[in-house]
């Protein structure tokens, strides 16, 4: 795993704070919060590349019209024209028959690339049975313009949320909460950590295909469960390294990182923002706490 702790190196991989101008003196406070830990640079680079490509594709969606004469299997699947495997399971059948089938959703691995296509190959992309393609710019444009496919993607999202013990509260805002069987499903998440990769893929897909406003509420949910409630210890590292940095909206990403810093312990080991930002924010928190005590 590629790791590093250079502030200059990290700035190359994370543009979240590039527009922040912190002018106050933080030297005294920095003695209390030395930079000791190292951040996963492989994850930082991966998520930086994703956000760059995602922003590029979102800008391009408004461009010229495209025809639909290309080989686009991911779109055909979401148009209910082709199955995702040799058993002949099309998207409508999948939604109807696989919802709540937790054993199948856990142990079958070929469906996730079809349900949540991205511009990257999946872990089992070389499998003969996995014929899904990475999304190209044309596929992304066509997906954005097809309300039926977007509605089916939303159903896929709800299906996977249910698998993880989560339910969608608002289709408008993307707010989520625990489902009634959350304890059982959280146990599965802690036991089968490959689902962290699946969730990262889901977040990336949401950003690419018109549901980027769903990203932050889901990441916030996982931050609460990992850092505040402590119910998902095996998801914690992925939330910090990957989930937070899948959020395309920079202002929301900043809010999530600050929330994480508030609840992360010990704070001197928090490495997901530059030292100057961490120190500045902690001073703000300290001042706010003193004002609260005063009143």
């Amino acid at each position: 795993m590629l790791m590093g702790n250079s502030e200059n190196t990290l700035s190359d991989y994370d543009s979240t704070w590039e527009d922040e101008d912190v002018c106050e003196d933080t030297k005294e406070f920095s003695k209390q919060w030395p930079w000791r830990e190292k951040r996963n640079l492989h994850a930082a680079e991966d998520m930086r590349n994703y956000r760059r490509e995602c922003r590029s594709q979102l800008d391009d969606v408004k461009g010229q019209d495209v025809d639909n004469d290309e080989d686009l299997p991911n779109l055909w699947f979401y148009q209910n024209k082709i199955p995702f495997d040799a058993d002949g399971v099309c998207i409508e059948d999948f939604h109807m028959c696989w919802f709540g089938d937790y054993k199948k959703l856990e142990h079958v691995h070929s469906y996730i690339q079809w349900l949540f296509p991205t511009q990257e190959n999946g872990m089992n992309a070389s499998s003969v049975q996995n014929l899904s393609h990475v999304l190209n710019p044309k596929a992304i444009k066509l997906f954005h313009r097809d309300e039926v496919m977007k509605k089916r993607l939303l159903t896929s999202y709800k299906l996977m949320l249910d698998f993880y013990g989560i339910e969608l509260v608002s289709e408008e805002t993307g707010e989520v909460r625990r489902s009634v069987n959350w304890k059982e499903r959280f146990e599965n998440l802690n036991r089968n950590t490959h689902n962290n990769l699946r969730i990262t893929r889901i977040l990336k897909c949401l950003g690419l295909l018109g549901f980027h406003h769903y990203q932050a509420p889901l990441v916030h949910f996982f931050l609460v469960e990992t850092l505040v409630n402590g119910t998902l210890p095996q998801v914690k590292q992925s939330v910090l390294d990957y989930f937070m940095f899948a959020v395309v909206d920079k202002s929301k990403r900043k809010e999530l990182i600050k929330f994480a810093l508030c609840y992360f312990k010990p704070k001197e080991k928090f490495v997901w923002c530059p030292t100057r930002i961490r120190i500045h924010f902690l001073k703000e928190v300290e001042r706010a706490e003193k004002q609260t005590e005063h009143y």
Side-chain angles (χ1 to χ4, degrees), residues 174-219:
E175 179 188 356
V176 294
R177 66 186 176 196
R178 291 173 174 177
S179 59
V180 293
N181 62 340
W182 67 272
K183 288 185 179 180
E184 169 201 338
R185 303 316 308 152
F186 280 20
E187 287 178 5
N188 185 73
L189 268 176
N190 282 318
R191 186 168 55 249
N192 296 291
T193 57
H194 68 93
N195 282 293
N196 295 339
L197 294 172
R198 290 176 168 182
I199 295 168
T200 300
R201 169 174 279 271
I202 290 170
L203 286 165
K204 287 181 175 181
C205 179
L206 292 175
L208 281 167
L209 296 182
F211 291 89
H212 62 274
H213 57 296
Y214 278 18
Q215 292 179 311
L218 182 60
V219 176

Side-chain angles (χ1 to χ4, degrees), residues 221-239:
F221 175 88
F222 280 115
L223 284 172
V224 171
E225 294 297 345
T226 54
L227 299 182
V228 182
N229 298 332
T231 54
L232 291 171
Q234 298 305 313
V235 184
K236 177 180 174 181
Q237 196 66 39
S238 290
V239 176

Side-chain angles (χ1 to χ4, degrees), residues 17 216-229 239-240 244 251-265 267 270 272-273 277 281-282 285:
W17 309 97
L218 182 60
V219 176
H220 183 268
F221 175 88
F222 280 115
L223 284 172
V224 171
E225 294 297 345
T226 54
L227 299 182
V228 182
N229 298 332
V239 176
L240 296 168
M244 285 198 304
S251 63
K252 291 182 179 179
R253 192 163 70 247
K254 288 180 180 179
E255 291 174 5
L256 291 167
I257 295 170
K258 287 182 177 181
F259 179 88
L261 176 56
C262 278
Y263 290 96
F264 185 90
K265 295 179 182 179
K267 288 183 170 40
F270 190 89
W272 293 274
C273 66
I277 299 297
F281 181 61
L282 288 172
V285 172

